[in-house]
Amino acid sequence: MAPNAAFDIDTRNAERVPATERWINARDLIDRCMGNLNLANRVLARFRSGLDEAVQQLEQMVEAADWGQACIRSHRLRGEAGNVGCRHLAELASQLEGACVRGDGESARSSLKALAKACGEFQQAAPSLPDVHAESAKKTNAILHATFRSRE
Amino acid sequence: MNILVADDDPQICELLDHALSSFGYSVTTARDGLEAFELLRSGKFRILLTDWQMPGLTGIELCELIRKQDAGNYIYIIVLTSHSYLDSVVCCLEAGADDYLSKPFRPAELLVRIRAGERLLSLESRELTIFALAKLVESRDDETGCHVDRMRDYARILAEELAQDKDFSGTIDGRYINLLYLTTPLHDIGKVGIPDQILRKPGKLTAEEFAVMKTHTTIGASTLEAVTAVHKNAAYLVMAREIALTHHERWDGTGYPHGLSGSSIPLCGRITAVADVYDALTSKRSYKEAFPHERAVEIIKEGSGKHFDPRLVSAFLRCAKAFESRSWRLKEQGASSNLLDRGDQGQISV
């Protein structure tokens, strides 16, 4: 599996960063939420609550060799994971999507296995955003205020 | 500005809604392409942010449908896509999208792309507004049907020819030509201040009436000057003001309203004068038939150094065929009829 550059950095520095940083690029998520921590947590919680079902659906689709539906669902999961800053999951979903597009059963099953494993680990590792992310939110807000001030 | 967001993913809808609202936009969301298309029919939305893959209608199908309908105001379309391949981008643009935004989006990038769309829409509004004003003036005069349509085409043809001339190439560039094309239709905007009994009088005007008619140049200039003073971002109207004020000035100083001569007459006014006179000559008036193109060319040639800047006449002679073909094309489109620019009365030697 080709490593995702951004995620790879987190993996190499795993001992020096909080566990959640290995899975979520919090700064990315909070920036996308314009510094609104409540929104970030809500979006993340929604993503987590739908993740297991998404994996189950994908397993059924791949087993049935329903490549069309599997392609659509994996594409959507890729987008959802990207939105919440879960680049690793987004990358894995992207690999599954590619296999489904090609109709490559062996590759799809292998990608799905890796995705399911990573999703399980993510669910265990990702609680709601800790304080370090609140600090990120403050920084984001400061940048936004500076941006708007410069336009005035 | 109202923005419509079309995406079947509630998560992305919420994120986009929040980001765009934070930037001061009013946001409405649609959960599929069909709902989006129905909402667009309200005419409330000028910018659409749409997902690529949606149930009902895909983003691409939605783009194609909007462009096929081509009704009402232009809708600026940005396709949201996690397909970052070049083929996908080309596919979006071919379907009628104006731009695309990769997912996951970044708010700063979202904002600049929305602003790019707003700039394009404001340009469209500006052009439409100017042309609508010009047509409004035209509508008061029974005999000037589609005069402004032809005028701006003639002005552009002549300016493009002049741009090849070393005397003018430093002044006339693409931007100048676009501005001239945009603002030439306002040359007679001052006619809104001319009483109907003079503007619509059949036959020749008396000396007193003609004196009133001549004030359309100063009325137009004052109006445009007032607008420019209040709205600093309407700097493009500076050229419109110069055209309105000076398009009846003559190279030899015998024109009006100020009797300017030679290069003291702004170039845009000199260009518009040639375009205006050519159109008046080749159009039917209450007291004359439309002159053939060849006769109009001769009259303009005779006016070189008197009515017109000699260098502009030389340029006109080089592109006269383009004037003729444009004239025929527009007149065949129904623009032909009786034409009368009373501002020319007594000015054209016919």
Side-chain angles (χ1 to χ4, degrees):
Chain A
M1 180 185 75
N4 174 286
F7 186 76
D8 203 32
I9 291 167
D10 285 345
T11 306
R12 284 200 301 269
N13 294 301
E15 291 174 7
R16 282 181 283 155
V17 296
T20 50
E21 291 283 303
R22 292 159 57 192
W23 294 101
I24 304 166
N25 186 323
R27 185 58 186 272
D28 230 30
L29 170 60
I30 295 167
D31 278 357
R32 201 163 293 117
C33 294
M34 306 287 288
N36 184 328
L37 202 60
N38 287 335
L39 176 61
N41 277 314
R42 192 162 68 242
V43 168
L44 184 59
R46 192 184 298 150
F47 173 69
R48 291 185 64 197
S49 69
L51 194 55
D52 293 343
E53 187 184 347
V55 172
Q56 281 171 17
Q57 287 173 343
L58 282 165
E59 284 171 344
Q60 288 166 7
M61 291 164 184
V62 169
E63 193 178 324
D66 186 351
W67 305 124
Q69 286 302 312
C71 187
I72 290 170
R73 190 65 191 91
S74 53
H75 179 81
R76 182 165 176 176
L77 180 59
R78 171 190 167 190
E80 291 167 342
N83 278 331
V84 294
C86 295
R87 293 179 185 174
H88 183 48
L89 295 187
E91 174 62 26
L92 293 173
S94 176
Q95 287 172 14
L96 175 57
E97 182 189 355
C100 294
V101 168
R102 296 190 303 274
D104 180 347
E106 191 178 336
S107 181
R109 281 185 289 277
S110 162
S111 296
L112 179 57
K113 191 175 173 185
L115 175 66
K117 182 171 179 286
C119 286
E121 289 172 3
F122 168 78
Q123 291 287 41
Q124 287 186 344
S128 66
L129 293 172
D131 286 341
V132 65
H133 301 129
E135 200 55 43
S136 295
K138 283 180 195 165
K139 285 180 193 167
T140 302
N141 275 328
I143 292 166
L144 284 171
H145 286 306
T147 306
F148 279 114
R149 267 203 303 275
S150 69
R151 289 202 190 99
E152 287 171 359
Chain B
M1 172 70 76
N2 296 315
I3 296 178
L4 179 62
V5 172
D7 201 308
D8 59 324
D9 179 356
Q11 181 195 66
I12 187 83
C13 283
E14 187 171 8
L15 289 170
L16 285 168
D17 188 344
H18 182 260
L20 291 168
S21 300
S22 300
F23 289 132
Y25 297 100
S26 175
V27 183
T28 300
T29 55
R31 290 299 162 84
D32 60 52
L34 286 171
E35 187 187 352
F37 188 67
E38 282 304 310
L39 284 166
L40 286 169
R41 292 179 67 185
S42 69
K44 277 170 55 184
F45 306 99
R46 301 295 310 278
I47 295 181
L48 167 68
L49 262 168
T50 179
D51 188 21
W52 173 298
Q53 286 189 343
M54 289 184 295
L57 281 175
T58 66
I60 300 302
E61 288 165 343
L62 181 59
C63 286
E64 287 170 343
L65 196 57
I66 290 167
R67 296 300 181 234
K68 194 176 170 187
Q69 295 267 315
D70 194 24
N73 289 327
Y74 186 81
I75 294 167
Y76 191 86
I77 305 173
I78 301 172
V79 174
L80 283 158
T81 175
S82 48
H83 296 280
S84 51
Y85 316 112
L86 183 62
D87 284 354
S88 307
V89 172
V90 171
C91 185
C92 284
L93 300 177
E94 274 187 348
D98 297 286
D99 203 354
Y100 72 98
L101 187 63
S102 296
K103 289 200 283 190
F105 74 93
R106 291 183 178 282
E109 186 186 0
L110 172 68
L111 179 62
V112 295
R113 292 194 187 275
I114 292 286
R115 286 192 169 162
E118 285 186 298
R119 279 198 296 277
L120 185 140
L121 293 173
S122 74
L123 286 174
E124 186 208 29
S125 302
R126 184 178 76 174
E127 196 161 333
L128 283 174
T129 304
I130 287 177
F131 203 61
L133 276 172
K135 296 297 272 185
L136 186 66
V137 176
E138 198 176 72
S139 71
R140 285 196 59 218
D141 193 338
D142 292 339
E143 298 183 293
T144 56
C146 295
H147 172 56
V148 296
D149 302 64
R150 293 189 299 274
M151 277 284 296
R152 64 178 185 175
D153 278 356
Y154 295 150
R156 180 160 65 183
I157 292 167
L158 185 54
E160 284 171 349
E161 184 60 39
L162 284 168
Q164 312 300 317
D165 186 323
K166 62 178 171 49
D167 284 355
F168 298 100
S169 57
T171 306
I172 301 179
D173 55 12
R175 187 175 165 275
Y176 185 97
I177 294 168
N178 287 339
L179 200 54
L180 184 72
Y181 181 79
L182 183 70
T183 54
T184 301
L186 292 177
H187 69 290
D188 275 340
I189 192 170
K191 284 187 175 175
V192 292
I194 304 300
D196 273 356
Q197 65 269 26
I198 295 176
L199 189 67
R200 310 180 78 160
K201 180 183 174 183
K204 199 172 171 70
L205 300 177
T206 65
E208 291 76 19
E209 289 168 337
F210 187 52
V212 173
M213 176 58 85
K214 288 200 286 189
T215 63
H216 82 273
T217 53
T218 48
I219 293 170
S222 304
T223 305
L224 293 166
E225 195 172 337
V227 175
T228 313
V230 175
H231 298 284
K232 299 296 181 193
N233 62 349
Y236 57 94
L237 290 179
V238 170
M239 183 184 275
R241 178 194 168 277
E242 286 189 339
I243 290 172
L245 186 64
T246 66
H247 71 284
H248 285 293
E249 298 287 2
R250 296 166 65 114
W251 184 253
D252 61 7
T254 60
Y256 67 88
H258 297 308
L260 299 177
S261 63
S263 297
S264 62
I265 305 167
L267 179 58
C268 55
R270 282 178 270 154
I271 293 172
T272 306
V274 175
D276 199 20
V277 169
Y278 176 83
D279 192 57
L281 290 169
T282 55
S283 303
K284 188 178 176 185
R285 296 187 162 203
S286 59
Y287 58 90
K288 75 166 187 67
E289 289 301 313
F291 287 177
H293 167 75
E294 292 73 17
R295 178 77 181 114
V297 171
E298 280 306 310
I299 290 171
I300 289 175
K301 200 172 166 184
E302 287 164 16
S304 179
K306 291 177 270 185
H307 192 152
F308 309 112
D309 180 341
R311 293 167 300 174
L312 266 65
V313 174
S314 298
F316 166 74
L317 294 174
R318 292 195 297 273
C319 61
K321 281 288 171 198
F323 269 63
E324 185 182 22
S325 58
R326 193 60 51 94
S327 167
W328 276 109
R329 186 176 65 76
L330 287 168
K331 284 175 181 170
E332 279 174 3
Q333 284 172 1
S336 173
S337 68
N338 300 323
L339 287 145
L340 175 63
D341 179 356
R342 291 183 179 283
D344 287 330
Q345 181 166 319
Q347 293 285 313
I348 305 169
S349 308
V350 292

